């Protein structure tokens, strides 16, 4: 599994875009970049994943650099309900398990 | 089928007692996982089943821990002779055979407090 590095915490004003970076310089060619988030006292929730191309869904956008060594999760209009710990994970999709780091604690403020 | 269900949501037990948690995965998911999460840390992998077969166990899963998934449906995680260090959130997740577009679906967890 690729080792990922994320900032410990970030703040974002409500209504602004939240840009959460992740470094994964050791990611292998068959590993996707997955993002999960965990709101307090709940289980992790899938957000988005990508391999090479940028991806967008109803929750977020994922921008992956061309060399695949880093990525950015974008929440375009953060709300207070987006306050959570966000995890970036390298995962092949067929391997036996997801390996979580400590993630980024995003605090969205008024 | 609304997702992964875990029961109970909270459990307080005295040190030395045995506890058992249940997980009901999404019905069409072949794979089922147990994770443990302590305060301030990300979830840590404990074990994983494909159908009824337990295919991998973490070194975190001491001999006081046992997990089963009879008939490849629900799963139970039992902790014998609980210790204060077992206090944590125990999370269950399930996934389709190949991880799928949505990756894993997690339950809300069982919070264990050993007093």
């Amino acid at each position: 599994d690729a080792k990922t590095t994320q900032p410990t915490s970030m703040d974002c004003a409500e209504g602004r875009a939240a840009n959460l970076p992740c470094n994964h310089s050791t990611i292998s060619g068959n590993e996707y970049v997955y993002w999960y988030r965990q709101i307090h006292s709940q289980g992790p929730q899938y957000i988005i994943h990508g391999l090479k191309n940028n991806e967008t869904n109803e929750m977020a956008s994922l921008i992956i650099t061309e060399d695949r060594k880093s990525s950015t999760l974008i929440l375009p209009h953060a709300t207070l309900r987006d306050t959570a710990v966000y995890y970036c994970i390298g995962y092949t999709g067929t391997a036996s398990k997801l390996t979580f780091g400590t993630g980024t604690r995003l605090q969205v403020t008024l | 089928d609304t997702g992964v269900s875990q029961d109970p949501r909270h459990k307080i037990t005295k040190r030395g007692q045995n506890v058992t948690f249940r997980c009901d995965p999404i019905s069409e998911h072949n794979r089922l996982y147990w994770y443990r999460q302590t305060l301030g840390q990300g979830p840590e992998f404990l074990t994983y089943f494909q159908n009824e077969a337990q295919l991998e166990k973490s070194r975190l899963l001491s001999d006081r821990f046992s997990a089963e998934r009879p008939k490849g449906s629900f799963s139970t995680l039992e902790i014998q002779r609980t210790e204060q260090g077992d206090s944590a959130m125990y999370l269950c997740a399930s996934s389709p055979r190949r991880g799928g577009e949505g990756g894993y679906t997690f339950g809300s967890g069982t919070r264990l407090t050993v007093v």
Side-chain angles (χ1 to χ4, degrees):
Chain A
D1 297 340
K3 177 176 169 54
T4 61
T5 305
Q6 299 177 253
T8 303
S9 63
M10 294 181 65
D11 292 331
C12 179
E14 189 177 34
R16 305 297 290 265
N19 297 292
L20 292 90
C22 178
N23 288 323
H24 34 78
S25 58
T26 62
I27 197 167
S28 61
N30 65 343
E31 280 186 297
Y32 291 78
V33 179
Y34 273 77
W35 283 83
Y36 282 76
R37 74 180 182 183
Q38 189 172 23
I39 295 169
H40 183 62
S41 296
Q42 298 183 20
Q45 176 193 22
Y46 166 82
I47 302 173
I48 198 167
H49 76 285
L51 185 63
K52 295 180 182 179
N53 300 322
N54 299 337
E55 302 287 344
T56 296
N57 63 20
E58 64 278 5
M59 291 182 68
S61 294
L62 175 60
I63 308 298
I64 303 174
T65 58
E66 194 170 340
D67 62 8
R68 297 202 343 116
K69 291 185 178 181
S70 65
S71 61
T72 301
L73 179 75
I74 301 171
L75 308 178
H77 305 287
T79 71
L80 296 177
R81 289 178 293 182
D82 293 321
T83 293
V85 178
Y86 287 77
Y87 298 98
C88 166
I89 302 168
Y91 177 60
T92 63
T94 57
S96 60
K97 59 186 181 288
L98 287 171
T99 301
F100 289 82
T102 52
T104 295
R105 183 172 299 278
L106 175 69
Q107 180 70 52
V108 180
T109 57
L110 290 171
Chain B
D1 194 31
T2 57
V4 177
S5 299
Q6 291 190 247
D7 183 67
R9 288 295 310 275
H10 304 274
K11 179 70 177 180
I12 300 174
T13 191
K14 291 183 178 179
R15 189 174 52 187
Q17 297 294 305
N18 299 343
V19 294
T20 300
F21 310 140
R22 178 180 170 121
C23 171
D24 287 273
I26 292 174
S27 56
E28 60 266 30
H29 286 183
N30 298 68
R31 295 184 172 194
L32 185 146
Y33 310 82
W34 285 99
Y35 282 76
R36 182 174 71 184
Q37 185 173 26
T38 53
L39 199 62
Q41 301 298 312
E44 297 173 294
F45 171 79
L46 291 178
T47 189
Y48 128 75
F49 291 84
Q50 182 159 312
N51 300 312
E52 67 275 11
Q54 188 174 18
L55 297 185
E56 187 171 343
K57 292 194 288 186
S58 161
R59 287 174 295 176
L60 293 174
L61 212 66
S62 76
D63 55 7
R64 296 185 297 105
F65 287 70
S66 63
E68 295 182 341
R69 192 184 183 195
K71 302 178 183 178
S73 55
F74 71 92
S75 176
T76 57
L77 178 68
E78 181 183 17
I79 309 174
Q80 296 182 327
R81 306 181 303 281
T82 52
E83 301 173 356
Q84 286 188 321
D86 297 331
S87 295
M89 174 78 85
Y90 290 84
L91 292 160
C92 177
S94 68
S95 74
R97 184 176 177 183
R98 280 188 165 272
E101 287 293 306
Y104 292 17
T105 302
F106 281 84
S108 296
T110 294
R111 181 167 297 282
L112 173 67
T113 303
V114 181
V115 298

